[in-house]
Amino acid sequence: MKSIKSAHFALLVFWLCPALALAESYDIEVMVSGLSPASGTVEVSLFDTPDNFLKEPFRQESGQVDESGRFTARFRALPEGEYAVVAVHDANDNGKLDSGFLGLGGEDYGYSNGAVSWLGRPDFEDAKFMVDQPGILVEIDLD
């Protein structure tokens, strides 16, 4: 009886494999430039819904700024859909986004699509982009 169940399971997996192979996934690369000073850490957050935007990232990647003032994040095996990205430069590596007088100045941050935050935060709609093909490159310039 056990071998019959195993055979049925193996047949089911074999039958589903072509369907699973057809489910496409995509990779995106986020290139953050204009990081000055060329030191510290960059955190890149990827959001997949308006409800989670700037609250709970779908995925995150962080790392050190290179000597040319750049950082590249790669997000692999993403399902097709709309996404938005936020990049934050923690220049002094203290683990938080420092702000200057009255919340102005301080450390840099930026959004996909060049979305701008005037008197508040941009919406997901302003920063979103479509992932529906291979080789998506998102560029965020913090200069």
Coordinates of all heavy atoms in Angstrom, one line a residue, residues 71-129:
F71 N 26.3 51.4 -5.1 CA 25.9 50.2 -4.5 C 24.9 49.5 -5.5 O 24.0 50.2 -6.0 CB 25.3 50.3 -3.1 CG 24.8 49.0 -2.6 CD1 25.7 48.1 -2.1 CD2 23.4 48.8 -2.5 CE1 25.2 46.9 -1.6 CE2 23.0 47.6 -2.0 CZ 23.9 46.6 -1.5
T72 N 25.0 48.2 -5.7 CA 24.0 47.5 -6.5 C 23.4 46.4 -5.7 O 24.1 45.6 -5.1 CB 24.7 46.9 -7.8 OG1 25.3 48.0 -8.5 CG2 23.7 46.2 -8.7
A73 N 22.1 46.4 -5.7 CA 21.3 45.3 -5.1 C 20.7 44.4 -6.2 O 20.3 45.0 -7.2 CB 20.2 45.9 -4.2
R74 N 20.6 43.1 -5.9 CA 20.0 42.2 -6.9 C 18.9 41.4 -6.2 O 19.1 40.8 -5.1 CB 21.0 41.3 -7.4 CG 22.0 42.0 -8.4 CD 23.1 41.1 -8.9 NE 24.0 41.8 -9.7 CZ 25.0 42.6 -9.2 NH1 25.2 42.8 -7.9 NH2 25.8 43.3 -10.0
F75 N 17.7 41.5 -6.8 CA 16.6 40.7 -6.2 C 16.2 39.7 -7.3 O 15.9 40.0 -8.4 CB 15.4 41.6 -5.9 CG 15.7 42.7 -4.9 CD1 16.0 44.0 -5.2 CD2 15.6 42.3 -3.5 CE1 16.3 44.9 -4.3 CE2 15.9 43.3 -2.6 CZ 16.2 44.6 -2.9
R76 N 16.3 38.4 -6.9 CA 16.1 37.3 -7.8 C 14.8 36.6 -7.6 O 14.2 36.6 -6.5 CB 17.3 36.3 -7.7 CG 18.6 37.0 -7.9 CD 19.8 36.0 -8.1 NE 21.1 36.6 -8.1 CZ 21.6 37.3 -9.1 NH1 20.8 37.6 -10.1 NH2 22.8 37.8 -9.0
A77 N 14.4 35.9 -8.7 CA 13.2 35.1 -8.7 C 11.9 35.8 -8.2 O 11.2 35.3 -7.3 CB 13.5 33.8 -7.9
L78 N 11.7 36.9 -8.7 CA 10.5 37.7 -8.4 C 9.3 37.3 -9.3 O 9.5 37.2 -10.5 CB 10.7 39.2 -8.5 CG 11.8 39.8 -7.7 CD1 12.0 41.3 -8.1 CD2 11.4 39.7 -6.2
P79 N 8.1 37.2 -8.7 CA 7.0 36.9 -9.6 C 6.6 38.2 -10.4 O 7.0 39.3 -9.9 CB 5.9 36.6 -8.6 CG 6.3 37.0 -7.3 CD 7.8 37.1 -7.3
E80 N 6.0 38.1 -11.5 CA 5.6 39.2 -12.3 C 4.7 40.1 -11.4 O 3.9 39.6 -10.6 CB 4.8 38.8 -13.5 CG 4.3 39.9 -14.4 CD 3.7 39.4 -15.7 OE1 4.1 38.4 -16.2 OE2 2.7 40.0 -16.1
G81 N 4.8 41.4 -11.5 CA 4.0 42.3 -10.8 C 4.5 43.7 -10.7 O 5.6 44.0 -11.3
E82 N 3.9 44.5 -9.9 CA 4.3 45.9 -9.7 C 5.1 46.0 -8.4 O 4.7 45.4 -7.4 CB 3.1 46.9 -9.6 CG 2.4 47.0 -10.9 CD 1.1 47.9 -10.8 OE1 0.6 48.0 -9.7 OE2 0.8 48.5 -11.8
Y83 N 6.2 46.7 -8.4 CA 7.1 46.9 -7.3 C 7.5 48.3 -7.2 O 7.4 49.1 -8.1 CB 8.3 46.0 -7.5 CG 8.1 44.5 -7.5 CD1 7.8 43.9 -8.7 CD2 8.1 43.8 -6.3 CE1 7.5 42.5 -8.7 CE2 7.8 42.4 -6.3 CZ 7.5 41.8 -7.5 OH 7.3 40.5 -7.6
A84 N 8.0 48.7 -6.0 CA 8.6 50.0 -5.8 C 9.8 49.8 -4.9 O 9.9 48.9 -4.1 CB 7.6 51.0 -5.1
V85 N 10.8 50.7 -5.0 CA 12.1 50.6 -4.3 C 12.4 51.9 -3.6 O 12.1 53.0 -4.1 CB 13.2 50.3 -5.3 CG1 14.6 50.3 -4.6 CG2 13.1 48.9 -5.9
V86 N 13.0 51.7 -2.4 CA 13.5 52.8 -1.6 C 14.9 52.5 -1.3 O 15.2 51.3 -0.8 CB 12.7 53.1 -0.3 CG1 13.3 54.2 0.5 CG2 11.2 53.3 -0.6
A87 N 15.9 53.4 -1.5 CA 17.3 53.3 -1.1 C 17.6 54.3 -0.1 O 17.3 55.5 -0.2 CB 18.2 53.4 -2.3
V88 N 18.3 53.9 1.0 CA 18.7 54.7 2.1 C 20.2 54.6 2.3 O 20.7 53.5 2.4 CB 17.9 54.4 3.4 CG1 18.4 55.2 4.6 CG2 16.4 54.5 3.2
H89 N 20.9 55.8 2.4 CA 22.3 55.8 2.6 C 22.6 56.1 4.0 O 22.4 57.2 4.5 CB 23.0 56.8 1.6 CG 24.4 56.9 1.8 ND1 25.2 58.0 1.4 CD2 25.4 55.9 2.2 CE1 26.5 57.8 1.7 NE2 26.6 56.5 2.1
D90 N 23.1 55.2 4.8 CA 23.5 55.4 6.2 C 25.0 55.7 6.1 O 25.8 54.8 6.3 CB 23.2 54.1 7.0 CG 23.6 54.3 8.5 OD1 23.9 55.4 8.9 OD2 23.5 53.3 9.2
A91 N 25.3 56.9 5.8 CA 26.7 57.3 5.6 C 27.7 57.1 6.8 O 28.8 56.8 6.6 CB 26.8 58.8 5.2
N92 N 27.1 57.3 8.0 CA 28.0 57.1 9.2 C 27.8 55.7 9.9 O 28.3 55.5 10.9 CB 27.7 58.2 10.2 CG 26.3 58.3 10.7 OD1 25.5 57.4 10.4 ND2 26.0 59.3 11.4
D93 N 27.1 54.8 9.2 CA 26.9 53.5 9.7 C 26.4 53.4 11.2 O 26.8 52.5 11.9 CB 28.2 52.7 9.6 CG 28.3 51.8 8.4 OD1 27.2 51.5 7.8 OD2 29.4 51.5 8.0
N94 N 25.5 54.3 11.5 CA 24.9 54.2 12.9 C 23.6 53.5 12.9 O 23.0 53.4 14.0 CB 24.8 55.6 13.5 CG 23.7 56.4 12.8 OD1 23.2 56.1 11.8 ND2 23.4 57.6 13.4
G95 N 23.2 52.9 11.8 CA 21.9 52.1 11.8 C 20.6 52.9 11.7 O 19.6 52.3 11.9
K96 N 20.7 54.2 11.5 CA 19.5 54.9 11.3 C 19.6 56.1 10.3 O 20.8 56.4 10.0 CB 19.0 55.5 12.7 CG 20.0 56.5 13.3 CD 19.5 57.0 14.6 CE 20.5 58.0 15.2 NZ 20.0 58.6 16.4
L97 N 18.5 56.6 9.8 CA 18.5 57.7 8.9 C 18.6 59.0 9.7 O 17.6 59.4 10.3 CB 17.3 57.6 8.0 CG 17.1 58.8 7.0 CD1 18.3 58.7 5.9 CD2 15.8 58.7 6.3
D98 N 19.7 59.6 9.6 CA 19.9 60.9 10.4 C 19.3 62.0 9.6 O 19.4 62.1 8.3 CB 21.4 61.2 10.6 CG 22.0 60.1 11.5 OD1 21.4 59.7 12.4 OD2 23.2 59.7 11.2
S99 N 18.7 62.9 10.3 CA 18.1 64.1 9.6 C 18.8 65.4 10.2 O 19.2 65.3 11.4 CB 16.6 64.2 9.7 OG 16.2 64.2 11.0
G100 N 18.8 66.4 9.4 CA 19.3 67.7 9.9 C 18.3 68.5 10.6 O 17.2 68.1 11.0
F101 N 18.6 69.8 10.7 CA 17.7 70.8 11.3 C 16.3 70.8 10.7 O 16.2 70.8 9.5 CB 18.3 72.2 11.2 CG 17.5 73.2 11.9 CD1 17.4 73.2 13.3 CD2 16.9 74.2 11.2 CE1 16.6 74.2 13.9 CE2 16.2 75.2 11.8 CZ 16.0 75.2 13.2
L102 N 15.3 70.7 11.5 CA 13.9 70.6 11.0 C 13.6 69.4 10.1 O 12.7 69.5 9.2 CB 13.4 71.9 10.3 CG 13.5 73.2 11.2 CD1 13.2 74.4 10.4 CD2 12.5 73.1 12.4
G103 N 14.4 68.4 10.2 CA 14.2 67.2 9.3 C 14.8 67.3 7.9 O 14.6 66.5 7.1
L104 N 15.4 68.4 7.7 CA 16.0 68.7 6.3 C 17.5 68.3 6.4 O 18.2 68.4 7.4 CB 15.8 70.1 5.9 CG 14.4 70.6 5.9 CD1 14.4 72.1 5.7 CD2 13.6 69.9 4.9
G105 N 18.0 68.0 5.2 CA 19.5 67.6 5.1 C 19.7 66.2 5.7 O 18.8 65.4 5.7
G106 N 20.8 66.0 6.3 CA 21.1 64.7 6.9 C 21.5 63.7 5.8 O 22.0 64.0 4.8
E107 N 21.1 62.4 6.0 CA 21.5 61.4 5.1 C 20.5 61.3 3.9 O 19.3 61.6 4.1 CB 21.7 60.1 5.9 CG 22.8 60.1 6.8 CD 23.0 58.9 7.7 OE1 21.9 58.4 8.2 OE2 24.1 58.5 7.9
D108 N 21.0 60.7 2.8 CA 20.2 60.7 1.6 C 19.4 59.5 1.5 O 19.7 58.4 2.0 CB 21.2 60.8 0.4 CG 21.9 62.1 0.3 OD1 21.3 63.2 0.6 OD2 23.1 62.1 -0.1
Y109 N 18.3 59.6 0.7 CA 17.4 58.5 0.4 C 16.8 58.8 -1.0 O 16.7 60.0 -1.4 CB 16.4 58.2 1.5 CG 15.5 59.5 1.8 CD1 14.3 59.6 1.1 CD2 15.9 60.4 2.7 CE1 13.5 60.8 1.3 CE2 15.1 61.5 2.9 CZ 13.9 61.7 2.2 OH 13.2 62.8 2.5
G110 N 16.3 57.8 -1.6 CA 15.6 58.0 -2.9 C 14.7 56.8 -3.2 O 14.7 55.8 -2.6
Y111 N 13.8 57.1 -4.2 CA 12.8 56.2 -4.6 C 12.9 55.8 -6.1 O 13.4 56.6 -6.9 CB 11.4 56.8 -4.4 CG 11.1 57.3 -3.0 CD1 11.5 58.5 -2.5 CD2 10.6 56.4 -2.1 CE1 11.2 58.9 -1.2 CE2 10.3 56.8 -0.8 CZ 10.7 58.1 -0.4 OH 10.4 58.5 0.9
S112 N 12.4 54.7 -6.4 CA 12.3 54.3 -7.9 C 11.4 55.3 -8.6 O 10.6 56.0 -8.0 CB 11.8 52.9 -8.0 OG 10.6 52.7 -7.3
N113 N 11.7 55.4 -9.9 CA 10.9 56.3 -10.8 C 11.2 57.8 -10.4 O 10.5 58.7 -10.9 CB 9.4 56.1 -10.8 CG 9.0 55.0 -11.6 OD1 9.8 54.5 -12.5 ND2 7.8 54.5 -11.4
G114 N 12.2 58.0 -9.6 CA 12.5 59.4 -9.2 C 11.4 60.0 -8.4 O 11.3 61.3 -8.4
A115 N 10.6 59.2 -7.8 CA 9.5 59.8 -7.0 C 10.0 60.7 -5.9 O 11.1 60.5 -5.3 CB 8.7 58.6 -6.3
V116 N 9.4 61.8 -5.8 CA 9.8 62.9 -4.9 C 8.9 63.0 -3.7 O 7.7 62.9 -3.8 CB 9.9 64.2 -5.6 CG1 10.3 65.4 -4.7 CG2 10.7 64.2 -6.9
S117 N 9.5 63.3 -2.5 CA 8.8 63.4 -1.3 C 8.8 64.9 -0.9 O 9.7 65.4 -0.3 CB 9.3 62.6 -0.2 OG 10.7 62.9 0.0
W118 N 7.7 65.6 -1.3 CA 7.6 67.0 -0.9 C 6.6 67.0 0.3 O 5.5 66.5 0.2 CB 6.9 67.9 -2.0 CG 7.7 67.9 -3.3 CD1 7.4 67.2 -4.4 CD2 8.9 68.7 -3.5 NE1 8.4 67.5 -5.3 CE2 9.3 68.4 -4.8 CE3 9.7 69.5 -2.8 CZ2 10.4 68.9 -5.4 CZ3 10.8 70.1 -3.4 CH2 11.1 69.8 -4.7
L119 N 6.9 67.5 1.4 CA 6.0 67.6 2.5 C 5.3 66.3 2.8 O 4.1 66.2 2.9 CB 5.0 68.7 2.3 CG 5.5 70.1 2.1 CD1 4.4 71.1 1.8 CD2 6.4 70.6 3.3
G120 N 6.1 65.2 2.9 CA 5.5 63.9 3.1 C 6.2 62.9 2.3 O 7.1 63.2 1.5
R121 N 5.6 61.7 2.3 CA 6.2 60.6 1.5 C 5.5 60.4 0.2 O 4.2 60.6 0.2 CB 6.1 59.3 2.4 CG 6.9 59.4 3.7 CD 6.6 58.2 4.5 NE 7.5 58.3 5.7 CZ 7.4 57.4 6.7 NH1 6.5 56.5 6.7 NH2 8.2 57.5 7.7
P122 N 6.2 60.0 -0.8 CA 5.5 59.6 -2.1 C 4.6 58.4 -1.9 O 4.8 57.6 -1.0 CB 6.6 59.4 -3.1 CG 7.8 59.0 -2.2 CD 7.6 59.7 -0.9
D123 N 3.7 58.2 -2.8 CA 2.8 57.0 -2.8 C 3.5 55.9 -3.6 O 4.4 56.2 -4.4 CB 1.5 57.4 -3.4 CG 0.6 58.3 -2.6 OD1 0.7 58.3 -1.4 OD2 -0.1 59.1 -3.2
F124 N 3.0 54.7 -3.3 CA 3.4 53.5 -4.1 C 3.3 53.8 -5.6 O 4.1 53.5 -6.4 CB 2.6 52.3 -3.7 CG 3.0 51.0 -4.3 CD1 4.1 50.3 -3.9 CD2 2.3 50.6 -5.4 CE1 4.4 49.1 -4.5 CE2 2.6 49.4 -6.1 CZ 3.7 48.6 -5.6
E125 N 2.1 54.4 -5.9 CA 1.8 54.7 -7.3 C 2.9 55.6 -8.0 O 3.2 55.4 -9.2 CB 0.5 55.5 -7.5 CG -0.7 54.6 -7.1 CD -0.9 53.4 -8.0 OE1 -0.8 53.6 -9.3 OE2 -1.1 52.3 -7.5
D126 N 3.5 56.5 -7.2 CA 4.6 57.4 -7.8 C 5.9 56.6 -8.0 O 6.6 57.0 -8.9 CB 4.8 58.5 -6.8 CG 3.6 59.4 -6.6 OD1 2.8 59.6 -7.6 OD2 3.5 59.9 -5.5
A127 N 6.1 55.6 -7.2 CA 7.4 54.9 -7.3 C 7.4 53.6 -8.0 O 8.4 52.9 -8.2 CB 7.9 54.7 -5.9
K128 N 6.2 53.1 -8.3 CA 6.0 51.7 -8.8 C 6.6 51.6 -10.3 O 6.6 52.5 -11.0 CB 4.6 51.3 -8.8 CG 3.7 51.9 -9.9 CD 2.3 51.3 -9.8 CE 1.5 52.0 -10.9 NZ 0.1 51.5 -10.9
F129 N 7.0 50.3 -10.6 CA 7.4 49.9 -11.9 C 6.9 48.5 -12.1 O 6.7 47.8 -11.1 CB 8.9 50.1 -12.1 CG 9.7 49.3 -11.1 CD1 10.2 48.0 -11.4 CD2 10.0 49.9 -9.9 CE1 10.9 47.3 -10.4 CE2 10.8 49.2 -8.9 CZ 11.2 47.9 -9.2

